[in-house]
Amino acid sequence: MIIQSTTAGYTSWRERVRGVFLVTLPALLLCLILDFVGGGVLGENFEKISTHYPLLLVVLPGMMDLRGNVFGAMASRLTTALYLGRVNGIRDGEVLTNISMAITSSKIPLMILWFVGLIQLGFSRSALVVLAIVVASALFIGFILGYSTAFITIIPYRHSIDPDTIAAPLVTSIADVVTIPSLVYLILFYERHPEEFYVFTFVMLGLLALMILRSRFTDEHRRSFKEISMVLTLLALIEVFSGSTLEHYSSMISRVIILSIMYPSILDSVGNFSSIAAATTSTRLNLAGPVELRNRAFVEDIGTVLLLSPIIGFLTNLIAVHVASIIGRSASMMWTFVITYPLLVLLNVIIGIVVAYAAYVYSIDPDNVAIPTVTTISDVLGTLYVVFLAGSI
């Protein structure tokens, strides 16, 4: 049985530092490793995708961010529900309902991303195949991520670990790492067994319908679904700008191999820091209101997390150097990046706090909109940051 608590975060400075370095830091390091794993799978299959399924490259950045947004927001909602005593375990009906909401709320923005790619590249048979692959992947991975999110949120809470410090980063990184391999696998599945592939897709649709029928939607759930769908649709349009910026300056970035390798990790790690800030702020606002943000404990929670940014920045650069050597390219430490990366993190953490507070002030549940919004903003700012670094060399 989970004990209800109306106080979020850690209760002492020693406990806070211990939690950040023994729990949050390992989680962020795992996220960093997962980012490079996903990038390796994409690099190995990049030529095949760009040649036969080019529309998938247009959809991919937004699709990865969308999954992280949806299930990161779900983690934030479950954390608040845990502190309020509304969730008792992974098999709880509230968990099933939240998974149904997370999967279905992403379908409209996913269609927008596909339609934008269709406009850019024109209609073709491969465009319809890409749509089927994207839908099948979204459903299959959605089921996995849904229960993974519940596990990553509920189990730490049972062991007196604040889920806000680890759940959102782990969920978004797992989403990034499973998105690319799942798409590649489904491409191979379609090419080798097209009929079975379509059967698999319809089975996934049937499972979603069954899950929706078993869910218990309240007025609060319907309001949350409306908020999430609206925000995700808007953010999908913003992701188009981020992708266009990357495409426009791709030749400049490609000349600096270390930046090409670090690009996914920079976006994801900065988004992780801003997600932690947004989730921490959201939980405190929902538990005790704005007065909690003036609490010294809140400032210390955010401050100790910021202590990790120089470590993550240095390790991102160091790992990228070794990855470059593995693929036969020469690269070295970029000290401009190591020095300025913590400033980028600080900016995005501030944005995470402001977004969560603004949502609360305007009577929008920050658990629904804060993490999706700040991770998308992090993508845009991270892309501009990489362009700045490439242009300065």
Side-chain angles (χ1 to χ4, degrees):
M1 178 68 178
I2 296 176
I3 304 300
Q4 179 178 346
S5 173
T6 56
T7 302
Y10 298 106
T11 57
S12 68
W13 175 256
R14 177 177 296 181
E15 181 183 337
R16 185 172 291 109
V17 173
R18 179 184 175 87
V20 165
F21 281 93
L22 295 184
V23 179
T24 307
L25 179 58
L28 291 176
L29 291 177
L30 177 60
C31 293
L32 196 61
I33 295 172
L34 292 177
D35 289 334
F36 283 109
V37 171
V41 174
L42 178 62
E44 184 178 357
N45 296 275
F46 188 84
E47 184 177 355
K48 178 184 184 66
I49 295 174
S50 61
T51 301
H52 300 288
Y53 309 96
L55 197 151
L56 198 57
L57 292 179
V58 179
V59 176
L60 183 61
M63 187 176 181
M64 292 174 63
D65 190 55
L66 182 63
R67 287 182 179 174
N69 287 343
V70 167
F71 292 100
M74 175 182 159
S76 184
R77 289 195 305 274
L78 287 181
T79 299
T80 299
L82 284 166
Y83 280 114
L84 294 176
R86 296 176 180 172
V87 172
N88 294 316
I90 294 176
R91 296 182 179 180
D92 196 283
E94 181 70 14
V95 173
L96 177 66
T97 303
N98 271 273
I99 295 174
S100 298
M101 287 173 51
I103 296 175
T104 53
S105 63
S106 64
K107 294 302 169 281
I108 295 177
L110 197 61
M111 291 301 299
I112 290 176
L113 290 171
W114 177 81
F115 187 70
V116 169
L118 192 66
I119 294 175
Q120 291 182 3
L121 301 178
F123 180 80
S124 64
R125 184 177 181 275
S126 68
L128 294 177
V129 174
V130 166
L131 177 61
I133 291 173
V134 166
V135 170
S137 173
L139 294 174
F140 178 66
I141 299 303
F143 297 133
I144 296 176
L145 286 177
Y147 283 100
S148 297
T149 301
F151 182 85
I152 293 171
T153 305
I154 295 173
I155 299 303
Y157 182 84
R158 285 178 169 173
H159 291 82
S160 301
I161 297 173
D162 183 9
D164 282 334
T165 62
I166 61 172
L170 278 177
V171 168
T172 53
S173 291
I174 292 174
D176 288 348
V177 105
V178 299
T179 293
I180 296 173
S182 71
L183 290 173
V184 171
Y185 170 77
L186 287 172
I187 287 174
L188 297 176
F189 187 22
Y190 166 76
E191 291 179 343
R192 297 172 183 175
H193 309 284
E195 293 182 359
E196 289 84 350
F197 166 78
Y198 287 115
V199 170
F200 172 79
T201 302
F202 282 111
V203 169
M204 291 298 101
L205 288 169
L207 288 176
L208 176 61
L210 180 62
M211 177 175 285
I212 292 174
L213 290 174
R214 293 185 59 189
S215 299
R216 299 194 298 265
F217 293 102
T218 64
D219 290 339
E220 182 179 350
H221 289 127
R222 295 185 183 93
R223 179 179 63 83
S224 295
F225 180 83
K226 183 179 180 180
E227 290 177 355
I228 297 169
S229 300
M230 179 179 63
V231 170
L232 291 178
T233 300
L234 177 62
L235 296 180
L237 296 175
I238 297 177
E239 279 292 346
V240 173
F241 167 79
S242 181
S244 299
T245 302
L246 177 63
E247 190 277 331
H248 183 74
Y249 292 100
S250 59
S251 59
M252 179 193 299
I253 296 174
S254 64
R255 290 195 295 267
V256 187
I257 184 63
I258 193 72
L259 287 178
S260 301
I261 296 173
M262 289 194 300
Y263 176 75
S265 297
I266 291 174
L267 266 59
D268 193 52
S269 61
V270 172
N272 287 341
F273 278 106
S274 62
S275 294
I276 291 174
T280 301
T281 306
S282 297
T283 300
R284 289 180 176 273
L285 286 170
N286 282 328
L287 289 179
V291 67
E292 273 289 290
L293 304 189
R294 295 191 291 270
N295 192 317
R296 179 179 176 180
F298 171 73
V299 177
E300 291 177 349
D301 280 346
I302 299 298
T304 49
V305 170
L306 285 173
L307 291 176
L308 302 179
S309 62
I311 301 174
I312 297 299
F314 176 80
L315 291 177
T316 298
N317 201 161
L318 184 63
I319 295 173
V321 170
H322 288 288
V323 171
S325 65
I326 291 174
I327 63 177
R329 304 294 294 272
S330 176
S332 60
M333 294 295 292
M334 181 180 288
W335 295 108
T336 304
F337 164 76
V338 175
I339 294 171
T340 58
Y341 175 82
L343 299 178
L344 178 65
V345 170
L346 175 61
L347 173 62
N348 281 274
V349 164
I350 293 173
I351 291 174
I353 296 172
V354 171
V355 168
Y357 179 74
Y360 181 85
V361 169
Y362 286 97
S363 301
I364 300 174
D365 188 350
D367 280 336
N368 293 330
V369 302
I371 289 180
T373 302
V374 299
T375 53
T376 300
I377 293 174
S378 296
D379 282 354
V380 174
L381 294 180
T383 299
L384 294 175
Y385 173 68
V386 170
V387 170
F388 167 76
L389 290 177
S392 64
I393 298 177

